[in-house]
Amino acid sequence: VWIYSYFVPIYKSGMLIGLMGMDIPCDTLVEQVSGIPVYDSGYVCLLDQEGHVIYHPDLSLGSDLNELGLSIQPDMLKKENSGDELIRYKADGEDRQMSFSTLSNGMKLVCIAPAAEINAPWIRLIRAILMITIIVIIFYVILIFLVMRVITSPLKQLTDASQRLADADYDVDLSYHGNNEIGTLTGSFKMMRDRIRNYIDDLNHQLYHDKLTDLPNMRHFFTLAQELRSNMLNR
């Protein structure tokens, strides 16, 4: 049975009068650290001042931690603690990270976990950020597409109307009524369409009617005769 003993010297008037000690079985120490969870497959081990194993899930009591084939410097565990950074090493073909601290009794409490499990939270965070970024980009692309469609639709309507107006089609309909620059442009285009149509109608009226009496002239009757002749020939 492995037992660790602790002794405290007792002095009186500067003279050593005795020692007060306590023996602690290693099983008691192991019970304190064996149940500490470290991620999913990580673990905690306990070493004595000389680096011998007091508790390790894969090594027996009194073993040397170097039996695991750790790719770390031998003097690394002689420090007070591992500091703010984790110690990276490889064991059994797996990347692992380790940190340790020296307890008040001189023992080393070592925490070991696979690097994949340690990095998993920030990897999931990066994936979530990327997913949110992609969703936001898709949303803004759709939004820009809809806005461009709202803007270009009345412009396309004006383009089609101008082409029909150039072909002497004055009955083109413009249904956009927005309170913006395009709406103002559409209104101006409607006024131009109506004025041109009235101007053409007035010219046609003057062509077939007398200016003084506003009665149909000979050209009007000639046109009617031509239409009548065409209808009779088509029968």
Side-chain angles (χ1 to χ4, degrees):
V1 177
W2 287 72
I3 295 177
Y4 275 84
S5 301
Y6 296 93
F7 297 93
V8 177
I10 300 176
Y11 294 90
K12 183 176 182 181
S13 300
M15 295 182 60
L16 178 63
I17 62 174
L19 294 173
M20 183 174 65
M22 179 175 58
D23 296 330
I24 301 178
C26 287
D27 293 341
T28 302
L29 299 175
V30 170
E31 291 176 358
Q32 303 298 318
V33 299
S34 60
I36 299 177
V38 181
Y39 292 95
D40 294 332
S41 59
Y43 55 86
V44 173
C45 59
L46 189 64
L47 309 178
D48 63 9
Q49 296 178 358
E50 287 76 24
H52 298 125
V53 173
I54 299 176
Y55 167 74
H56 191 283
D58 299 326
L59 297 177
S60 59
L61 185 62
S63 302
D64 191 349
L65 194 62
N66 293 327
E67 296 180 14
L68 290 175
L70 304 181
S71 56
I72 60 176
Q73 298 178 359
D75 297 336
M76 182 67 69
L77 294 177
K78 295 182 179 180
K79 298 180 180 180
E80 186 70 19
N81 54 62
S82 56
D84 297 331
E85 296 183 0
L86 297 176
I87 301 172
R88 296 173 175 82
Y89 69 96
K90 184 181 291 291
D92 298 330
E94 182 183 46
D95 292 330
R96 298 180 182 180
Q97 295 184 2
M98 174 181 68
S99 65
F100 69 91
S101 179
T102 303
L103 304 179
S104 59
N105 57 5
M107 294 182 178
K108 305 286 185 179
L109 184 65
V110 184
C111 295
I112 300 174
E117 295 181 8
I118 296 176
N119 299 330
W122 65 264
I123 292 177
R124 288 195 298 268
L125 179 60
I126 292 177
R127 290 178 178 175
I129 293 175
L130 290 176
M131 184 63 65
I132 294 174
T133 303
I134 292 173
I135 293 174
V136 170
I137 292 174
I138 293 175
F139 171 77
Y140 276 103
V141 168
I142 295 175
L143 181 62
I144 292 174
F145 175 77
L146 294 177
V147 171
M148 292 299 296
R149 185 174 181 181
V150 170
I151 295 175
T152 57
S153 178
L155 292 177
K156 184 178 182 301
Q157 190 180 48
L158 284 174
T159 302
D160 296 339
S162 63
Q163 293 176 353
R164 293 177 59 184
L165 189 62
D167 296 333
D169 183 4
Y170 304 108
D171 295 327
V172 58
D173 184 27
L174 296 172
S175 58
Y176 185 76
H177 302 285
N179 295 324
N180 49 30
E181 290 79 2
I182 300 178
T184 303
L185 179 62
T186 302
S188 301
F189 195 90
K190 287 180 180 179
M191 293 176 61
M192 180 184 68
R193 176 202 61 186
D194 296 338
R195 289 179 179 179
I196 293 176
R197 179 168 54 191
N198 293 333
Y199 180 73
I200 297 298
D201 292 341
D202 185 64
L203 289 177
N204 290 329
H205 182 78
Q206 293 180 16
L207 185 64
Y208 295 101
H209 291 77
D210 187 75
K211 293 183 178 181
L212 296 177
T213 61
D214 200 28
L215 295 174
N217 56 20
M218 293 301 296
R219 183 175 294 177
H220 177 72
F221 288 110
F222 180 77
T223 303
L224 291 178
Q226 289 289 342
E227 292 178 356
L228 181 60
R229 181 175 179 275
S230 299
N231 292 333
M232 293 178 64
L233 292 176
N234 291 332
R235 292 181 179 179

mmCIF file of all heavy atoms in Angstrom, residues 61-110:
data_model
loop_
_atom_site.group_PDB
_atom_site.id
_atom_site.type_symbol
_atom_site.label_atom_id
_atom_site.label_comp_id
_atom_site.label_asym_id
_atom_site.label_seq_id
_atom_site.Cartn_x
_atom_site.Cartn_y
_atom_site.Cartn_z
ATOM 1 N N LEU A 61 0.753 2.897 -10.476
ATOM 2 C CA LEU A 61 1.305 3.742 -9.442
ATOM 3 C C LEU A 61 2.827 3.589 -9.381
ATOM 4 O O LEU A 61 3.353 2.471 -9.402
ATOM 5 C CB LEU A 61 0.690 3.375 -8.089
ATOM 6 C CG LEU A 61 1.069 4.241 -6.895
ATOM 7 C CD1 LEU A 61 0.612 5.667 -7.093
ATOM 8 C CD2 LEU A 61 0.464 3.661 -5.617
ATOM 9 N N GLY A 62 3.529 4.713 -9.319
ATOM 10 C CA GLY A 62 4.978 4.693 -9.254
ATOM 11 C C GLY A 62 5.661 4.692 -10.600
ATOM 12 O O GLY A 62 6.896 4.709 -10.663
ATOM 13 N N SER A 63 4.911 4.650 -11.687
ATOM 14 C CA SER A 63 5.503 4.640 -13.024
ATOM 15 C C SER A 63 6.067 6.022 -13.349
ATOM 16 O O SER A 63 5.799 7.015 -12.672
ATOM 17 C CB SER A 63 4.465 4.234 -14.070
ATOM 18 O OG SER A 63 3.930 2.954 -13.785
ATOM 19 N N ASP A 64 6.832 6.052 -14.430
ATOM 20 C CA ASP A 64 7.390 7.309 -14.919
ATOM 21 C C ASP A 64 6.503 7.807 -16.059
ATOM 22 O O ASP A 64 6.141 7.045 -16.965
ATOM 23 C CB ASP A 64 8.823 7.088 -15.407
ATOM 24 C CG ASP A 64 9.537 8.414 -15.686
ATOM 25 O OD1 ASP A 64 8.848 9.456 -15.702
ATOM 26 O OD2 ASP A 64 10.764 8.382 -15.887
ATOM 27 N N LEU A 65 6.186 9.076 -16.047
ATOM 28 C CA LEU A 65 5.302 9.634 -17.079
ATOM 29 C C LEU A 65 5.943 9.544 -18.460
ATOM 30 O O LEU A 65 5.229 9.523 -19.466
ATOM 31 C CB LEU A 65 4.978 11.099 -16.749
ATOM 32 C CG LEU A 65 3.821 11.746 -17.534
ATOM 33 C CD1 LEU A 65 2.524 11.030 -17.250
ATOM 34 C CD2 LEU A 65 3.683 13.225 -17.170
ATOM 35 N N ASN A 66 7.239 9.454 -18.539
ATOM 36 C CA ASN A 66 7.909 9.356 -19.836
ATOM 37 C C ASN A 66 7.609 8.035 -20.537
ATOM 38 O O ASN A 66 7.891 7.890 -21.730
ATOM 39 C CB ASN A 66 9.423 9.520 -19.668
ATOM 40 C CG ASN A 66 9.797 10.931 -19.215
ATOM 41 O OD1 ASN A 66 9.137 11.896 -19.570
ATOM 42 N ND2 ASN A 66 10.851 11.027 -18.412
ATOM 43 N N GLU A 67 7.056 7.067 -19.829
ATOM 44 C CA GLU A 67 6.691 5.796 -20.450
ATOM 45 C C GLU A 67 5.606 5.968 -21.507
ATOM 46 O O GLU A 67 5.409 5.090 -22.347
ATOM 47 C CB GLU A 67 6.235 4.798 -19.383
ATOM 48 C CG GLU A 67 7.329 4.412 -18.404
ATOM 49 C CD GLU A 67 6.841 3.421 -17.363
ATOM 50 O OE1 GLU A 67 5.746 2.848 -17.586
ATOM 51 O OE2 GLU A 67 7.532 3.212 -16.346
ATOM 52 N N LEU A 68 4.902 7.091 -21.470
ATOM 53 C CA LEU A 68 3.864 7.353 -22.477
ATOM 54 C C LEU A 68 4.456 7.845 -23.786
ATOM 55 O O LEU A 68 3.736 7.995 -24.781
ATOM 56 C CB LEU A 68 2.865 8.397 -21.946
ATOM 57 C CG LEU A 68 1.953 7.943 -20.813
ATOM 58 C CD1 LEU A 68 1.110 9.118 -20.315
ATOM 59 C CD2 LEU A 68 1.050 6.807 -21.270
ATOM 60 N N GLY A 69 5.742 8.101 -23.831
ATOM 61 C CA GLY A 69 6.373 8.581 -25.054
ATOM 62 C C GLY A 69 5.986 10.009 -25.390
ATOM 63 O O GLY A 69 5.754 10.329 -26.554
ATOM 64 N N LEU A 70 5.932 10.862 -24.394
ATOM 65 C CA LEU A 70 5.533 12.247 -24.624
ATOM 66 C C LEU A 70 6.624 12.993 -25.381
ATOM 67 O O LEU A 70 7.813 12.885 -25.056
ATOM 68 C CB LEU A 70 5.264 12.955 -23.293
ATOM 69 C CG LEU A 70 4.228 12.300 -22.366
ATOM 70 C CD1 LEU A 70 4.061 13.133 -21.111
ATOM 71 C CD2 LEU A 70 2.897 12.148 -23.071
ATOM 72 N N SER A 71 6.209 13.755 -26.392
ATOM 73 C CA SER A 71 7.166 14.531 -27.179
ATOM 74 C C SER A 71 7.324 15.923 -26.586
ATOM 75 O O SER A 71 7.117 16.937 -27.244
ATOM 76 C CB SER A 71 6.675 14.636 -28.639
ATOM 77 O OG SER A 71 5.366 15.192 -28.684
ATOM 78 N N ILE A 72 7.724 15.972 -25.297
ATOM 79 C CA ILE A 72 7.951 17.246 -24.623
ATOM 80 C C ILE A 72 9.311 17.181 -23.938
ATOM 81 O O ILE A 72 9.872 16.101 -23.736
ATOM 82 C CB ILE A 72 6.850 17.547 -23.581
ATOM 83 C CG1 ILE A 72 6.815 16.443 -22.507
ATOM 84 C CG2 ILE A 72 5.497 17.688 -24.239
ATOM 85 C CD1 ILE A 72 5.812 16.724 -21.397
ATOM 86 N N GLN A 73 9.822 18.331 -23.614
ATOM 87 C CA GLN A 73 11.119 18.390 -22.965
ATOM 88 C C GLN A 73 11.020 17.838 -21.543
ATOM 89 O O GLN A 73 10.050 18.100 -20.834
ATOM 90 C CB GLN A 73 11.634 19.830 -22.924
ATOM 91 C CG GLN A 73 11.852 20.434 -24.313
ATOM 92 C CD GLN A 73 12.320 21.859 -24.233
ATOM 93 O OE1 GLN A 73 12.470 22.421 -23.156
ATOM 94 N NE2 GLN A 73 12.569 22.458 -25.398
ATOM 95 N N PRO A 74 12.045 17.077 -21.104
ATOM 96 C CA PRO A 74 11.995 16.456 -19.769
ATOM 97 C C PRO A 74 11.904 17.476 -18.635
ATOM 98 O O PRO A 74 11.330 17.189 -17.580
ATOM 99 C CB PRO A 74 13.301 15.653 -19.698
ATOM 100 C CG PRO A 74 13.698 15.450 -21.124
ATOM 101 C CD PRO A 74 13.235 16.663 -21.860
ATOM 102 N N ASP A 75 12.507 18.641 -18.821
ATOM 103 C CA ASP A 75 12.524 19.638 -17.751
ATOM 104 C C ASP A 75 11.253 20.482 -17.711
ATOM 105 O O ASP A 75 11.139 21.383 -16.863
ATOM 106 C CB ASP A 75 13.733 20.572 -17.930
ATOM 107 C CG ASP A 75 15.048 19.814 -17.806
ATOM 108 O OD1 ASP A 75 15.041 18.754 -17.153
ATOM 109 O OD2 ASP A 75 16.059 20.282 -18.364
ATOM 110 N N MET A 76 10.309 20.207 -18.616
ATOM 111 C CA MET A 76 9.105 21.030 -18.682
ATOM 112 C C MET A 76 8.298 20.941 -17.395
ATOM 113 O O MET A 76 7.799 21.953 -16.872
ATOM 114 C CB MET A 76 8.250 20.599 -19.875
ATOM 115 C CG MET A 76 6.977 21.426 -20.063
ATOM 116 S SD MET A 76 7.327 23.135 -20.546
ATOM 117 C CE MET A 76 7.951 22.876 -22.201
ATOM 118 N N LEU A 77 8.183 19.719 -16.836
ATOM 119 C CA LEU A 77 7.366 19.530 -15.638
ATOM 120 C C LEU A 77 8.074 19.982 -14.357
ATOM 121 O O LEU A 77 7.463 19.926 -13.283
ATOM 122 C CB LEU A 77 6.972 18.053 -15.507
ATOM 123 C CG LEU A 77 6.047 17.515 -16.607
ATOM 124 C CD1 LEU A 77 5.796 16.032 -16.407
ATOM 125 C CD2 LEU A 77 4.728 18.276 -16.609
ATOM 126 N N LYS A 78 9.314 20.412 -14.456
ATOM 127 C CA LYS A 78 10.021 20.889 -13.268
ATOM 128 C C LYS A 78 9.667 22.339 -12.934
ATOM 129 O O LYS A 78 10.062 22.843 -11.887
ATOM 130 C CB LYS A 78 11.529 20.745 -13.454
ATOM 131 C CG LYS A 78 11.989 19.289 -13.569
ATOM 132 C CD LYS A 78 13.487 19.194 -13.709
ATOM 133 C CE LYS A 78 13.937 17.739 -13.800
ATOM 134 N NZ LYS A 78 15.416 17.613 -13.937
ATOM 135 N N LYS A 79 8.947 22.997 -13.820
ATOM 136 C CA LYS A 79 8.539 24.371 -13.558
ATOM 137 C C LYS A 79 7.411 24.405 -12.549
ATOM 138 O O LYS A 79 6.806 23.378 -12.214
ATOM 139 C CB LYS A 79 8.112 25.041 -14.865
ATOM 140 C CG LYS A 79 9.220 25.152 -15.909
ATOM 141 C CD LYS A 79 8.707 25.837 -17.164
ATOM 142 C CE LYS A 79 9.794 25.966 -18.217
ATOM 143 N NZ LYS A 79 9.289 26.635 -19.448
ATOM 144 N N GLU A 80 7.112 25.611 -12.073
ATOM 145 C CA GLU A 80 6.028 25.772 -11.101
ATOM 146 C C GLU A 80 4.674 25.473 -11.729
ATOM 147 O O GLU A 80 3.823 24.816 -11.131
ATOM 148 C CB GLU A 80 6.057 27.202 -10.536
ATOM 149 C CG GLU A 80 5.068 27.444 -9.397
ATOM 150 C CD GLU A 80 5.469 26.710 -8.125
ATOM 151 O OE1 GLU A 80 6.659 26.324 -7.996
ATOM 152 O OE2 GLU A 80 4.595 26.523 -7.271
ATOM 153 N N ASN A 81 4.461 25.939 -12.943
ATOM 154 C CA ASN A 81 3.210 25.669 -13.674
ATOM 155 C C ASN A 81 3.470 25.878 -15.160
ATOM 156 O O ASN A 81 4.555 26.326 -15.571
ATOM 157 C CB ASN A 81 2.059 26.553 -13.183
ATOM 158 C CG ASN A 81 2.409 28.034 -13.210
ATOM 159 O OD1 ASN A 81 2.680 28.596 -14.257
ATOM 160 N ND2 ASN A 81 2.419 28.650 -12.026
ATOM 161 N N SER A 82 2.491 25.585 -15.964
ATOM 162 C CA SER A 82 2.636 25.686 -17.423
ATOM 163 C C SER A 82 2.368 27.089 -17.941
ATOM 164 O O SER A 82 2.496 27.342 -19.143
ATOM 165 C CB SER A 82 1.680 24.704 -18.112
ATOM 166 O OG SER A 82 0.332 24.944 -17.691
ATOM 167 N N GLY A 83 1.980 28.006 -17.083
ATOM 168 C CA GLY A 83 1.721 29.376 -17.519
ATOM 169 C C GLY A 83 0.369 29.511 -18.214
ATOM 170 O O GLY A 83 -0.544 28.697 -18.030
ATOM 171 N N ASP A 84 0.260 30.553 -19.026
ATOM 172 C CA ASP A 84 -1.009 30.833 -19.697
ATOM 173 C C ASP A 84 -1.219 30.005 -20.955
ATOM 174 O O ASP A 84 -2.331 29.930 -21.465
ATOM 175 C CB ASP A 84 -1.089 32.325 -20.072
ATOM 176 C CG ASP A 84 -1.069 33.222 -18.836
ATOM 177 O OD1 ASP A 84 -1.536 32.752 -17.786
ATOM 178 O OD2 ASP A 84 -0.589 34.367 -18.941
ATOM 179 N N GLU A 85 -0.150 29.415 -21.505
ATOM 180 C CA GLU A 85 -0.267 28.658 -22.738
ATOM 181 C C GLU A 85 -0.272 27.161 -22.452
ATOM 182 O O GLU A 85 0.389 26.687 -21.523
ATOM 183 C CB GLU A 85 0.890 29.000 -23.683
ATOM 184 C CG GLU A 85 0.888 30.461 -24.141
ATOM 185 C CD GLU A 85 1.996 30.725 -25.131
ATOM 186 O OE1 GLU A 85 2.740 29.768 -25.446
ATOM 187 O OE2 GLU A 85 2.113 31.872 -25.582
ATOM 188 N N LEU A 86 -1.009 26.445 -23.298
ATOM 189 C CA LEU A 86 -1.052 24.996 -23.187
ATOM 190 C C LEU A 86 0.184 24.382 -23.836
ATOM 191 O O LEU A 86 0.711 24.892 -24.817
ATOM 192 C CB LEU A 86 -2.317 24.454 -23.856
ATOM 193 C CG LEU A 86 -3.651 24.897 -23.247
ATOM 194 C CD1 LEU A 86 -4.811 24.356 -24.060
ATOM 195 C CD2 LEU A 86 -3.772 24.433 -21.801
ATOM 196 N N ILE A 87 0.636 23.257 -23.266
ATOM 197 C CA ILE A 87 1.788 22.529 -23.803
ATOM 198 C C ILE A 87 1.279 21.544 -24.840
ATOM 199 O O ILE A 87 0.452 20.683 -24.542
ATOM 200 C CB ILE A 87 2.537 21.795 -22.674
ATOM 201 C CG1 ILE A 87 3.011 22.804 -21.616
ATOM 202 C CG2 ILE A 87 3.710 21.023 -23.238
ATOM 203 C CD1 ILE A 87 3.591 22.154 -20.382
ATOM 204 N N ARG A 88 1.773 21.676 -26.062
ATOM 205 C CA ARG A 88 1.338 20.815 -27.157
ATOM 206 C C ARG A 88 2.334 19.681 -27.357
ATOM 207 O O ARG A 88 3.544 19.901 -27.372
ATOM 208 C CB ARG A 88 1.191 21.626 -28.452
ATOM 209 C CG ARG A 88 0.107 22.683 -28.381
ATOM 210 C CD ARG A 88 0.115 23.561 -29.627
ATOM 211 N NE ARG A 88 -0.994 24.501 -29.637
ATOM 212 C CZ ARG A 88 -1.011 25.661 -28.986
ATOM 213 N NH1 ARG A 88 0.046 26.013 -28.287
ATOM 214 N NH2 ARG A 88 -2.065 26.451 -29.037
ATOM 215 N N TYR A 89 1.805 18.483 -27.532
ATOM 216 C CA TYR A 89 2.659 17.328 -27.768
ATOM 217 C C TYR A 89 1.844 16.275 -28.497
ATOM 218 O O TYR A 89 0.638 16.419 -28.711
ATOM 219 C CB TYR A 89 3.225 16.774 -26.448
ATOM 220 C CG TYR A 89 2.197 16.125 -25.557
ATOM 221 C CD1 TYR A 89 2.006 14.748 -25.580
ATOM 222 C CD2 TYR A 89 1.412 16.882 -24.693
ATOM 223 C CE1 TYR A 89 1.061 14.148 -24.763
ATOM 224 C CE2 TYR A 89 0.473 16.289 -23.871
ATOM 225 C CZ TYR A 89 0.303 14.921 -23.917
ATOM 226 O OH TYR A 89 -0.635 14.334 -23.117
ATOM 227 N N LYS A 90 2.517 15.204 -28.896
ATOM 228 C CA LYS A 90 1.863 14.125 -29.630
ATOM 229 C C LYS A 90 2.096 12.829 -28.873
ATOM 230 O O LYS A 90 3.214 12.530 -28.436
ATOM 231 C CB LYS A 90 2.410 14.023 -31.052
ATOM 232 C CG LYS A 90 1.714 12.967 -31.919
ATOM 233 C CD LYS A 90 2.329 12.919 -33.310
ATOM 234 C CE LYS A 90 2.008 14.182 -34.099
ATOM 235 N NZ LYS A 90 0.557 14.221 -34.443
ATOM 236 N N ALA A 91 1.036 12.040 -28.707
ATOM 237 C CA ALA A 91 1.121 10.747 -28.030
ATOM 238 C C ALA A 91 0.136 9.790 -28.686
ATOM 239 O O ALA A 91 -1.028 10.154 -28.933
ATOM 240 C CB ALA A 91 0.808 10.882 -26.537
ATOM 241 N N ASP A 92 0.618 8.583 -29.002
ATOM 242 C CA ASP A 92 -0.211 7.556 -29.653
ATOM 243 C C ASP A 92 -0.806 8.072 -30.958
ATOM 244 O O ASP A 92 -1.949 7.748 -31.319
ATOM 245 C CB ASP A 92 -1.324 7.072 -28.713
ATOM 246 C CG ASP A 92 -0.772 6.427 -27.457
ATOM 247 O OD1 ASP A 92 0.333 5.851 -27.534
ATOM 248 O OD2 ASP A 92 -1.433 6.511 -26.395
ATOM 249 N N GLY A 93 -0.023 8.896 -31.676
ATOM 250 C CA GLY A 93 -0.491 9.414 -32.946
ATOM 251 C C GLY A 93 -1.570 10.471 -32.846
ATOM 252 O O GLY A 93 -2.189 10.815 -33.858
ATOM 253 N N GLU A 94 -1.795 11.020 -31.660
ATOM 254 C CA GLU A 94 -2.849 12.005 -31.462
ATOM 255 C C GLU A 94 -2.247 13.294 -30.907
ATOM 256 O O GLU A 94 -1.409 13.265 -30.009
ATOM 257 C CB GLU A 94 -3.907 11.464 -30.491
ATOM 258 C CG GLU A 94 -5.071 12.412 -30.250
ATOM 259 C CD GLU A 94 -6.047 11.849 -29.234
ATOM 260 O OE1 GLU A 94 -5.580 11.344 -28.180
ATOM 261 O OE2 GLU A 94 -7.264 11.903 -29.472
ATOM 262 N N ASP A 95 -2.686 14.419 -31.465
ATOM 263 C CA ASP A 95 -2.255 15.712 -30.947
ATOM 264 C C ASP A 95 -3.002 16.020 -29.653
ATOM 265 O O ASP A 95 -4.228 15.986 -29.616
ATOM 266 C CB ASP A 95 -2.525 16.816 -31.976
ATOM 267 C CG ASP A 95 -1.643 16.688 -33.204
ATOM 268 O OD1 ASP A 95 -0.512 16.188 -33.057
ATOM 269 O OD2 ASP A 95 -2.093 17.064 -34.307
ATOM 270 N N ARG A 96 -2.238 16.329 -28.615
ATOM 271 C CA ARG A 96 -2.833 16.616 -27.308
ATOM 272 C C ARG A 96 -2.258 17.931 -26.764
ATOM 273 O O ARG A 96 -1.212 18.404 -27.214
ATOM 274 C CB ARG A 96 -2.567 15.481 -26.318
ATOM 275 C CG ARG A 96 -3.165 14.140 -26.729
ATOM 276 C CD ARG A 96 -2.868 13.068 -25.700
ATOM 277 N NE ARG A 96 -3.393 11.769 -26.103
ATOM 278 C CZ ARG A 96 -3.264 10.656 -25.387
ATOM 279 N NH1 ARG A 96 -2.617 10.693 -24.212
ATOM 280 N NH2 ARG A 96 -3.782 9.515 -25.821
ATOM 281 N N GLN A 97 -2.959 18.461 -25.789
ATOM 282 C CA GLN A 97 -2.500 19.666 -25.108
ATOM 283 C C GLN A 97 -2.589 19.441 -23.603
ATOM 284 O O GLN A 97 -3.520 18.764 -23.123
ATOM 285 C CB GLN A 97 -3.330 20.879 -25.534
ATOM 286 C CG GLN A 97 -3.151 21.227 -26.999
ATOM 287 C CD GLN A 97 -3.887 22.481 -27.393
ATOM 288 O OE1 GLN A 97 -4.512 23.131 -26.560
ATOM 289 N NE2 GLN A 97 -3.817 22.852 -28.662
ATOM 290 N N MET A 98 -1.631 20.018 -22.893
ATOM 291 C CA MET A 98 -1.501 19.721 -21.466
ATOM 292 C C MET A 98 -1.214 21.013 -20.719
ATOM 293 O O MET A 98 -0.559 21.923 -21.225
ATOM 294 C CB MET A 98 -0.376 18.703 -21.256
ATOM 295 C CG MET A 98 -0.051 18.416 -19.801
ATOM 296 S SD MET A 98 1.305 17.215 -19.658
ATOM 297 C CE MET A 98 2.677 18.191 -20.279
ATOM 298 N N SER A 99 -1.698 21.067 -19.497
ATOM 299 C CA SER A 99 -1.339 22.135 -18.564
ATOM 300 C C SER A 99 -1.155 21.513 -17.186
ATOM 301 O O SER A 99 -1.750 20.477 -16.879
ATOM 302 C CB SER A 99 -2.429 23.219 -18.524
ATOM 303 O OG SER A 99 -3.636 22.695 -18.002
ATOM 304 N N PHE A 100 -0.342 22.138 -16.369
ATOM 305 C CA PHE A 100 -0.107 21.584 -15.042
ATOM 306 C C PHE A 100 0.133 22.712 -14.053
ATOM 307 O O PHE A 100 0.441 23.851 -14.431
ATOM 308 C CB PHE A 100 1.096 20.622 -15.049
ATOM 309 C CG PHE A 100 2.417 21.299 -15.254
ATOM 310 C CD1 PHE A 100 3.174 21.734 -14.170
ATOM 311 C CD2 PHE A 100 2.896 21.524 -16.530
ATOM 312 C CE1 PHE A 100 4.387 22.369 -14.358
ATOM 313 C CE2 PHE A 100 4.112 22.161 -16.721
ATOM 314 C CZ PHE A 100 4.856 22.582 -15.637
ATOM 315 N N SER A 101 -0.019 22.372 -12.795
ATOM 316 C CA SER A 101 0.228 23.325 -11.718
ATOM 317 C C SER A 101 0.759 22.558 -10.518
ATOM 318 O O SER A 101 0.412 21.389 -10.300
ATOM 319 C CB SER A 101 -1.057 24.071 -11.352
ATOM 320 O OG SER A 101 -0.830 24.990 -10.296
ATOM 321 N N THR A 102 1.612 23.215 -9.750
ATOM 322 C CA THR A 102 2.190 22.593 -8.555
ATOM 323 C C THR A 102 1.320 22.893 -7.346
ATOM 324 O O THR A 102 0.987 24.049 -7.061
ATOM 325 C CB THR A 102 3.614 23.127 -8.308
ATOM 326 O OG1 THR A 102 4.413 22.889 -9.467
ATOM 327 C CG2 THR A 102 4.237 22.433 -7.113
ATOM 328 N N LEU A 103 0.920 21.829 -6.643
ATOM 329 C CA LEU A 103 0.094 21.985 -5.456
ATOM 330 C C LEU A 103 0.964 22.408 -4.263
ATOM 331 O O LEU A 103 2.195 22.405 -4.340
ATOM 332 C CB LEU A 103 -0.624 20.667 -5.147
ATOM 333 C CG LEU A 103 -1.493 20.102 -6.295
ATOM 334 C CD1 LEU A 103 -2.117 18.781 -5.864
ATOM 335 C CD2 LEU A 103 -2.563 21.097 -6.705
ATOM 336 N N SER A 104 0.298 22.762 -3.193
ATOM 337 C CA SER A 104 1.036 23.226 -2.007
ATOM 338 C C SER A 104 1.892 22.133 -1.385
ATOM 339 O O SER A 104 2.861 22.427 -0.685
ATOM 340 C CB SER A 104 0.047 23.764 -0.964
ATOM 341 O OG SER A 104 -0.879 22.746 -0.586
ATOM 342 N N ASN A 105 1.562 20.860 -1.674
ATOM 343 C CA ASN A 105 2.349 19.760 -1.118
ATOM 344 C C ASN A 105 3.469 19.333 -2.061
ATOM 345 O O ASN A 105 4.140 18.332 -1.811
ATOM 346 C CB ASN A 105 1.452 18.563 -0.803
ATOM 347 C CG ASN A 105 0.691 18.077 -2.034
ATOM 348 O OD1 ASN A 105 0.898 18.561 -3.137
ATOM 349 N ND2 ASN A 105 -0.199 17.131 -1.815
ATOM 350 N N GLY A 106 3.652 20.087 -3.153
ATOM 351 C CA GLY A 106 4.733 19.779 -4.086
ATOM 352 C C GLY A 106 4.345 18.860 -5.219
ATOM 353 O O GLY A 106 5.123 18.664 -6.149
ATOM 354 N N MET A 107 3.167 18.273 -5.186
ATOM 355 C CA MET A 107 2.728 17.386 -6.255
ATOM 356 C C MET A 107 2.304 18.205 -7.482
ATOM 357 O O MET A 107 1.977 19.383 -7.390
ATOM 358 C CB MET A 107 1.570 16.509 -5.780
ATOM 359 C CG MET A 107 1.946 15.527 -4.697
ATOM 360 S SD MET A 107 0.543 14.472 -4.235
ATOM 361 C CE MET A 107 1.313 13.426 -3.022
ATOM 362 N N LYS A 108 2.325 17.539 -8.626
ATOM 363 C CA LYS A 108 1.934 18.159 -9.879
ATOM 364 C C LYS A 108 0.557 17.642 -10.292
ATOM 365 O O LYS A 108 0.364 16.426 -10.415
ATOM 366 C CB LYS A 108 2.946 17.840 -10.989
ATOM 367 C CG LYS A 108 4.388 18.200 -10.652
ATOM 368 C CD LYS A 108 4.609 19.703 -10.712
ATOM 369 C CE LYS A 108 6.091 20.036 -10.490
ATOM 370 N NZ LYS A 108 6.378 21.464 -10.557
ATOM 371 N N LEU A 109 -0.362 18.564 -10.498
ATOM 372 C CA LEU A 109 -1.682 18.215 -11.022
ATOM 373 C C LEU A 109 -1.678 18.542 -12.508
ATOM 374 O O LEU A 109 -1.536 19.695 -12.902
ATOM 375 C CB LEU A 109 -2.775 18.994 -10.297
ATOM 376 C CG LEU A 109 -4.219 18.656 -10.692
ATOM 377 C CD1 LEU A 109 -4.547 17.221 -10.314
ATOM 378 C CD2 LEU A 109 -5.204 19.620 -10.043
ATOM 379 N N VAL A 110 -1.821 17.510 -13.333
ATOM 380 C CA VAL A 110 -1.689 17.646 -14.782
ATOM 381 C C VAL A 110 -3.029 17.363 -15.441
ATOM 382 O O VAL A 110 -3.674 16.346 -15.148
ATOM 383 C CB VAL A 110 -0.612 16.678 -15.328
ATOM 384 C CG1 VAL A 110 -0.418 16.897 -16.828
ATOM 385 C CG2 VAL A 110 0.705 16.874 -14.580
#
